Amino acid sequence: MTDKTESAVFDAPEFETRIPDGDDRERSVCTRCSFIHYSNPKIVAGSVAMWEDRVLLCKRAIEPRKGYWTLPAGYMENKETVEDAARREAWEEARARLDLDRVLAIYSIARISQVQIMFRASLQTPDIEAGPESEAVGLFEWADIPWDDLAFPTVFWALQAFDEVREKTDFPPFSNPVDGV
């Protein structure tokens, strides 16, 4: 190999932000080979999981919103289905095993580049405990849900969506109550 070839192979790519030919928005483009690095929304998978008439909530041990209550949910991993991600997140956050029923809601949160897919689910057993991302976990009667201490608007929305369809066997997935939130 010549020095020039070694340099081309081992030098880190340099990117600039510009609108590529044929595109309509700024992207990160390699200055050497014009490779476009697309930055796309993250997908969050989660669930409203029930044991009998109680809902599973997790108190966050991490930022953002540490100390607030949330549903078991988190980012999908590569080579993982959205269903597997929802089950994995319930295990990681609450040591809960789930049976997924159906998609409950899909929320597009443009300002933070997320798409959240929430399932209606049931716990296989009531045995839960805090995982590494949770300070505490609990099974809450509906009247005892800490509504003022929920971590995110999507948690509130998903719980409200669940309440509307808890007795239904067929329903379309809910979506954002307000576009562009």
Side-chain angles (χ1 to χ4, degrees):
M1 265 187 177
T2 67
D3 287 339
K4 184 176 181 181
T5 304
E6 286 177 3
S7 176
V9 171
F10 296 109
D11 284 348
E14 294 179 23
F15 287 87
E16 66 181 5
T17 302
R18 65 178 171 87
I19 299 174
D21 292 340
D23 207 332
D24 63 352
R25 63 190 67 215
E26 289 186 336
R27 311 277 187 190
S28 292
V29 180
C30 180
T31 59
R32 285 190 229 138
C33 69
S34 297
F35 171 82
I36 301 170
H37 174 75
Y38 292 95
S39 179
N40 301 103
K42 298 287 186 186
I43 299 173
V44 172
S47 61
V48 176
M50 301 292 290
W51 177 259
E52 296 172 351
D53 61 347
R54 296 175 291 161
V55 64
L56 172 63
L57 293 176
C58 306
K59 192 172 195 179
R60 293 179 58 81
I62 59 173
E63 294 294 349
R65 307 290 288 162
K66 181 179 178 179
Y68 286 84
W69 292 93
T70 190
L71 297 165
Y75 293 116
M76 283 184 65
E77 299 290 347
N78 290 331
K79 300 185 180 195
E80 181 176 56
T81 68
V82 69
E83 295 85 359
D84 287 343
R87 285 188 285 264
R88 177 184 51 75
E89 287 293 337
W91 175 254
E92 286 178 0
E93 295 180 9
R95 297 301 185 238
R97 299 273 185 214
L98 300 184
D99 290 322
L100 301 179
D101 175 34
R102 60 182 299 129
V103 172
L104 173 67
I106 301 170
Y107 301 120
S108 297
I109 316 299
R111 67 180 174 76
I112 56 173
S113 300
Q114 283 185 7
V115 175
Q116 297 187 13
I117 303 170
M118 304 301 291
F119 289 89
R120 183 169 75 173
S122 58
L123 288 129
Q124 293 175 357
T125 74
D127 302 321
I128 58 172
E129 65 182 74
E133 296 180 3
S134 299
E135 289 179 13
V137 294
L139 293 171
F140 290 84
E141 301 268 345
W142 197 258
D144 297 329
I145 292 173
W147 295 103
D148 291 337
D149 292 324
L150 296 179
F152 308 106
T154 52
V155 174
F156 178 82
W157 299 343
L159 288 168
Q160 292 301 307
F162 173 82
D163 192 38
E164 288 186 36
V165 298
R166 69 169 70 209
E167 302 300 324
K168 294 182 179 179
T169 57
D170 191 32
F171 55 88
F174 288 78
S175 61
N176 297 40
V178 180
D179 288 337
V181 172

